[in-house]
Amino acid sequence: MQILVGEEFLETSIHMKEIYYDQLCSIEPKFPFSENQVCVTFTWKDAFDKGSLFGGSAKLALASLGYEKTCVLFNCGALASQIAAEQNLENDEGLKAAAKHYQFASGAFQHIKDTVLSALNREPTVDISPDTVGTLSLIMLAQAQEVFFLKATRDKMKDGIIAKLANQAADYYGDAYKQCQYKDTLPKEVFPVLAAKHCIMQANAEYHQSILAKQQKKFGEEIGRLQHAADLVKTVASRYDEYINVKDLVDKINRALAAAKKDNDFIYHDRVPDLKDLESIGKASLVKSTPVVVPLSQKFTDLFEKMVPLQVQQSVSVYNQRKADLVNRSIAQMREATNLANGVLASLNLPAAIEDVSGDTVPQSILNKSKSVIEQGGIQTVDQLIKDLPELLQRNKEILDESLRLLDEEEATDNDLRTKFKERWQRTPSNELYKPLRAEGANYHNILNKAMQADGQVKERYQTHRDTIALLCKPEAELNAAIPSANPAKTLQGNEVVNVLRTLLTSLDEVKKEREQLENDLKSVNFDMTSKFLAALAQDGAINEEAISVTELDRIYGSYTQKVQESLKKQEELLKNIQNAYQDFSKMKQSNNESNLREEVLKNLAVANDNFVELVANLKEGTKFYNELTEILLKFQNKCSDIIFARKTERDELLKDLQQSIAREPSAPSIPLPTYQTTPAAGNKPAASPTPTPAPRTMVGTKPQPPARPPPPVISAASSSSSALAPSGSAAAPAAAPAPTPGASAPAASTAPSQAQGPPYPTYPGYPGYCQMPMPMGYNPYMYGQYNLPYAPSPVYQTPGQPPYPPPQQPGYPFPQQPYYHQQ
């Protein structure tokens, strides 16, 4: 095992604390930490309180993540200052590392000073109070400035610069001393050290400024500054010698002062000015507090990266709903327009009418429709899909009925026991506990009933158009034979009206194809709003979801919605022109019975193709709906089974306690087991009579005697058979005790607990252990005027503990909607 010592241990410790602090900052907006929600209590002791003989050091425990962040950051600053103090200041690497860590520590303490009161919302301990951490920040900054002074001295920079650096460090130490000299927040040895450091740095500033004065031939100023420096170090040596050794600095200044006086006395004879007449030394600060920027560690990896703050999650959910409404509305408008165009063309028998100028061949459009139906399986595909629906429906009904049957049986048993034991049967009634489950089951029943109605509508529609769809599936020769022939006028061939109709129909087809592409584009647009909402939350502290969502939706989908409106307007003009041109075309056609009959058949074939496509789509949706509903009902069945198993375990424990409690009572009657727990086996003796035996009479004048110990209980074979009725994993119920005979004593008290043991699941109404399952949204394929497309945002999960009511279903065919684009 490797043991870390010294600087290596400190580096590892601060690295771990920085990662922990980064993780705290990351999860703070994602979890609702508070006393009323996610309540986690953090306890820290005062760093400067050493305690007393009769009590430990002061500590504070708060259910606040901000408090934990503050204390962890305080430790990061303390460790950084220790690492800086451990550096070797004789080389550049050590000087740079020390300056870096001192400035980081100063920034950490300054951040605490600015945020501690808002993070705690109460009075903090002394170590993290604003006054204390403000002083610590200034001390760290002074030490960092001193490091730069040492580096400048080591690099033999100009004495004027070195003097300014030292003078600034002296100011920092002096300010720190002033802030804490009248407070007892810091340890007592801090004050003399700060005072000594202030004097030492001031003496260094005066010393280097005296060298500059000598260079400028100001010999009197040189002596004055050296005298002041000598006084300062003399004060340190006399008052603070036990904390700081300044012997080397004293000797250096004294030697310089003696040499300067000697030269001035014998050579220069310059007047020595008073201290107050000396010019002030300038200041040069090369340090500043490093701001706390998350993440502190470059190696930090967010353990909850995929989670977003609750406000952002709610905003994204609302945005997705807005986006879904916008996309659904646009797609619904385009589909409604396409169906309208198809209906108009089918009523006019276009394009078959202008393709059928020969009067005795199958129009090409009809041949194309026939080929498409045959490739999709034709009438056999529809027959098979319709055949599968009842089986899928029956499977779902059986699962639901079995789930409710389990609830009914357990509720009936609970009611029997409540009637038998009355007030002794103290547990939540099953009829109250199962209310959410029964409401959920009733909702599933309604869904199945609506699905059955939709199935009937689809079958009825299929029977209406089955013959025409079957005709479309026939080969071309049979199809041509089934269509009546007619001989239109030869003038129709190559007529200008026919050419105009063909041009208009081609333009309309192009509009439909463009609309399909536009629909795909709308579905494929994907934009993650999480970053937008996170940025808004970080900048403003709140999210104006509506303003942000409306702006982004307009930016992303504005061009698409404009194209949709242009497409609708263009189609409206084309349909108007087609109807006008068709009126001219119909006037030119020869009117006879054969041509009218042929046109009617061609119209029916065109309508049959549309019906086939819709029927196949609806039936596939129905099959998918039933399969998804099966999974949901199986989960519902598991919920019912789990709660029933928990209730059986609770019931058995409560029965056992009741029997033992009653058996301990004097003259206790024997309590027969319920019929569901006892099953007499062949050859066994009949169960003992449940008739209670009266208590022994107390004879006058005689001392009452304690009852005699009863013989061991006889366990009949009925108990073993009853254990077979107990659920798997639960203890078998005890057999009924034989009735005591007169003179026999009551059964001995058992060591079992006097209260019923709880089941492995909660037994209070609502059962928060179970969460509502999402239901597939309904889709009505027959109502194009309403925006009920098979497209909806992701389902919303109910909060555990609330009645798990499924979302409302749309009227009509309750088949699930298929998402048109990836939901966020």
Side-chain angles (χ1 to χ4, degrees):
M1 177 178 178
Q2 183 180 8
I3 300 178
L4 302 178
V5 295
E7 184 181 345
E8 186 178 0
F9 172 77
L10 295 174
E11 290 281 0
T12 303
S13 298
I14 193 173
H15 176 66
M16 294 175 60
K17 285 176 174 56
E18 286 175 349
I19 291 179
Y20 178 48
Y21 181 83
D22 292 337
Q23 189 62 72
L24 291 174
C25 294
S26 175
I27 66 174
E28 185 175 21
K30 300 178 181 180
F31 294 89
F33 285 99
S34 68
E35 294 182 355
N36 300 327
Q37 300 184 52
V38 181
C39 183
V40 181
T41 302
F42 302 99
T43 304
W44 289 89
K45 292 184 178 180
D46 192 322
F48 302 121
D49 187 2
K50 297 180 180 179
S52 62
L53 180 64
F54 301 101
S57 58
K59 61 182 180 180
L60 178 63
L62 293 178
S64 167
L65 198 66
Y67 176 57
E68 176 77 350
K69 287 170 54 184
T70 299
C71 294
V72 172
L73 189 60
F74 182 91
N75 282 347
C76 289
L79 286 171
S81 68
Q82 292 183 44
I83 294 173
E86 294 287 336
Q87 299 299 318
N88 181 10
L89 302 183
E90 298 298 326
N91 55 61
D92 287 344
E93 290 75 13
L95 289 169
K96 291 178 181 178
K100 173 184 174 183
H101 284 94
Y102 277 134
Q103 291 178 88
F104 171 80
S106 176
F109 293 132
Q110 183 64 37
H111 183 79
I112 295 174
K113 177 185 177 182
D114 297 338
T115 61
V116 63
L117 295 180
S118 60
L120 269 63
N121 292 324
R122 58 157 294 165
E123 189 68 24
T125 51
V126 174
D127 56 342
I128 59 174
S129 64
D131 289 342
T132 303
V133 291
T135 302
L136 292 176
S137 176
L138 200 54
I139 293 174
M140 297 299 114
L141 211 58
Q143 293 181 98
Q145 180 74 15
E146 183 181 359
V147 169
F148 278 101
F149 159 75
L150 294 176
K151 179 171 174 55
T153 305
R154 184 174 178 274
D155 294 343
K156 298 181 179 180
M157 299 180 68
K158 293 181 179 180
D159 290 286
I161 297 176
I162 297 175
K164 292 179 180 179
L165 292 174
N167 194 33
Q168 181 65 67
D171 268 12
Y172 283 145
Y173 280 120
D175 292 342
Y177 179 77
K178 291 176 183 177
Q179 286 188 12
C180 65
Q181 64 176 333
Y182 300 115
K183 301 182 178 67
D184 296 331
T185 55
L186 296 176
K188 62 180 181 179
E189 59 269 15
V190 173
F191 311 125
V193 172
L194 291 176
K197 282 284 188 179
H198 170 69
C199 294
I200 291 171
M201 296 312 299
Q202 188 65 44
N204 276 293
E206 295 290 349
Y207 172 77
H208 285 279
Q209 192 68 21
S210 71
I211 297 176
L212 181 63
K214 181 179 181 180
Q215 294 172 355
Q216 297 174 352
K217 301 188 182 302
K218 299 177 180 179
F219 304 108
E221 180 183 344
E222 177 191 6
I223 296 173
R225 293 191 181 279
L226 287 174
Q227 288 177 345
H228 186 207
D231 293 340
L232 289 172
V233 293
K234 183 179 178 181
T235 302
V236 174
S238 61
R239 295 184 180 181
Y240 312 118
D241 59 332
E242 62 176 309
Y243 300 102
I244 294 180
N245 184 4
V246 291
K247 184 177 182 303
D248 292 340
L249 182 60
V250 169
D251 294 341
K252 182 172 69 171
I253 293 175
N254 287 336
R255 285 196 302 268
L257 178 60
K261 283 184 175 180
K262 181 179 180 180
D263 291 342
N264 190 55
D265 290 343
F266 286 97
I267 302 174
Y268 306 116
H269 305 287
D270 196 5
R271 185 183 69 86
V272 178
D274 293 336
L275 179 63
K276 63 180 186 222
D277 295 331
L278 294 175
E279 294 181 4
S280 62
I281 304 173
K283 301 174 185 178
S285 177
L286 297 182
V287 297
K288 62 179 180 179
S289 301
T290 303
V292 175
V293 180
V294 179
L296 297 178
S297 174
Q298 297 179 353
K299 299 181 180 179
F300 169 66
T301 301
D302 189 2
L303 300 177
F304 304 93
E305 182 178 5
K306 295 183 179 179
M307 295 186 66
V308 296
L310 184 61
Q311 295 182 14
V312 175
Q313 184 179 5
Q314 293 173 345
S315 299
V316 169
S317 177
V318 177
Y319 165 79
N320 287 335
Q321 180 65 45
R322 294 180 188 275
K323 180 176 69 173
D325 292 341
L326 186 148
V327 174
N328 281 346
R329 185 164 56 251
S330 299
I331 293 177
Q333 290 176 342
M334 291 191 294
R335 289 194 172 184
E336 185 177 359
T338 299
N339 291 329
L340 175 63
N342 291 338
V344 171
L345 295 182
S347 65
L348 301 178
N349 192 27
L350 293 174
I354 58 176
E355 293 172 353
D356 193 33
V357 292
S358 64
D360 53 5
T361 59
V362 181
Q364 185 60 40
S365 60
I366 299 298
L367 289 177
N368 294 338
K369 290 179 172 59
S370 176
K371 182 180 178 181
S372 175
V373 171
I374 293 173
E375 288 176 352
Q376 297 182 51
I379 204 73
Q380 292 80 9
T381 299
V382 183
D383 289 338
Q384 184 61 40
L385 290 172
I386 290 180
K387 181 181 178 182
D388 293 342
L389 286 182
E391 298 177 3
L392 298 174
L393 174 64
Q394 184 62 27
R395 179 182 62 185
N396 288 324
K397 291 181 64 177
E398 290 174 356
I399 296 173
L400 181 58
D401 293 342
E402 175 63 17
S403 303
L404 297 178
R405 184 189 65 79
L406 294 174
L407 296 179
D408 292 339
E409 288 185 355
E410 202 285 326
E411 184 174 337
T413 302
D414 182 71
N415 292 336
D416 292 342
L417 293 173
R418 191 173 305 280
T419 302
K420 181 180 292 293
F421 292 105
K422 295 182 171 53
E423 67 276 357
R424 289 178 179 266
W425 195 249
Q426 297 179 354
R427 72 167 183 169
T428 306
S430 295
N431 59 350
E432 295 182 7
L433 189 62
Y434 296 158
K435 283 182 179 179
L437 291 174
R438 293 197 179 279
E440 189 176 351
N443 186 69
Y444 293 146
H445 262 305
N446 294 334
I447 292 171
L448 288 176
N449 290 336
K450 292 180 180 179
M452 292 171 60
Q453 295 175 5
D455 290 345
Q457 295 174 4
V458 171
K459 291 176 183 178
E460 182 180 355
R461 183 178 179 186
Y462 173 58
Q463 293 301 326
T464 303
H465 300 281
R466 189 181 191 283
D467 295 338
T468 317
I469 296 174
L471 181 60
L472 269 179
C473 299
K474 294 183 178 298
E476 181 178 354
E478 296 183 23
L479 184 60
N480 191 18
I483 300 175
S485 61
N487 294 316
K490 296 295 183 181
T491 55
L492 291 178
Q493 298 189 21
N495 191 278
E496 181 63 25
V497 176
V498 175
N499 294 334
V500 171
L501 274 175
R502 284 199 179 100
T503 304
L504 292 173
L505 291 175
T506 302
S507 299
L508 186 60
D509 288 338
E510 291 177 357
V511 170
K512 292 180 183 178
K513 292 179 181 179
E514 292 174 358
R515 194 172 291 156
E516 291 177 0
Q517 182 61 41
L518 184 58
E519 181 175 330
N520 293 331
D521 293 342
L522 276 170
K523 290 184 280 187
S524 61
V525 172
N526 187 16
F527 184 78
D528 187 8
M529 288 291 293
T530 304
S531 58
K532 286 280 185 182
F533 290 131
L534 283 173
L537 183 62
Q539 181 177 354
D540 304 329
I543 299 176
N544 188 348
E545 182 277 327
E546 183 176 2
I548 297 175
S549 297
V550 171
T551 302
E552 289 300 315
L553 288 174
D554 184 65
R555 181 183 66 83
I556 299 170
Y557 291 99
S559 59
Y560 293 104
T561 54
Q562 184 177 357
K563 290 179 181 179
V564 169
Q565 297 303 319
E566 291 175 356
S567 176
L568 297 179
K569 185 176 180 180
K570 187 174 181 180
Q571 175 181 296
E572 184 179 358
E573 295 177 356
L574 285 173
L575 287 179
K576 182 178 179 181
N577 294 334
I578 287 173
Q579 289 174 330
N580 294 334
Y582 183 79
Q583 291 179 359
D584 298 336
F585 174 76
S586 61
K587 292 177 182 178
M588 297 174 59
K589 288 180 61 177
Q590 180 180 359
S591 179
N592 54 45
N593 294 333
E594 291 80 4
S595 61
N596 292 338
L597 182 59
R598 177 181 177 84
E599 185 172 352
E600 185 66 26
V601 173
L602 294 176
K603 288 181 182 179
N604 292 338
L605 289 174
V607 172
N609 173 74
D610 295 339
N611 286 323
F612 173 82
V613 173
E614 293 180 12
L615 284 170
V616 170
N618 290 339
L619 290 171
K620 287 182 178 179
E621 285 290 334
T623 302
K624 183 175 183 297
F625 168 78
Y626 281 127
N627 289 330
E628 290 183 352
L629 185 60
T630 299
E631 296 180 4
I632 295 174
L633 290 177
L634 286 174
K635 293 180 181 179
F636 175 71
Q637 187 181 37
N638 290 335
K639 286 167 58 178
C640 295
S641 301
D642 290 345
I643 192 173
I644 288 171
F645 175 79
R647 295 285 284 179
K648 284 183 178 180
T649 305
E650 180 189 32
R651 180 188 65 202
D652 293 341
E653 293 290 338
L654 187 55
L655 275 173
K656 181 179 177 181
D657 260 10
L658 283 175
Q659 292 170 16
Q660 294 174 351
S661 176
I662 295 174
R664 286 194 295 268
E665 297 177 359
S667 66
S670 62
I671 304 300
L673 290 177
T675 55
Y676 72 88
Q677 285 189 334
T678 58
T679 305
N684 288 350
K685 294 182 180 181
S689 171
T691 306
T693 302
R697 294 178 179 275
T698 302
M699 303 301 295
V700 179
T702 62
K703 184 178 181 180
Q705 298 296 325
R709 183 180 299 276
V714 179
I715 302 175
S716 64
S719 63
S720 61
S721 63
S722 64
S723 65
L725 301 176
S728 176
S730 61
T741 58
S745 63
S750 171
T751 60
S754 60
Q755 295 183 358
Q757 300 299 310
Y761 298 95
T763 58
Y764 49 84
Y767 249 87
Y770 298 103
C771 186
Q772 165 64 20
M773 295 172 294
M775 276 300 299
M777 300 294 289
Y779 169 48
N780 183 352
Y782 308 113
M783 300 178 66
Y784 295 104
Q786 301 178 9
Y787 305 133
N788 49 1
L789 298 177
Y791 177 88
S794 56
V796 178
Y797 290 83
Q798 299 289 337
T799 304
Q802 296 181 355
Y805 302 122
Q809 301 293 317
Q810 298 185 12
Y813 213 70
F815 293 153
Q817 300 182 358
Q818 297 300 313
Y820 282 169
Y821 64 86
H822 176 68
Q823 294 289 333
Q824 298 298 318

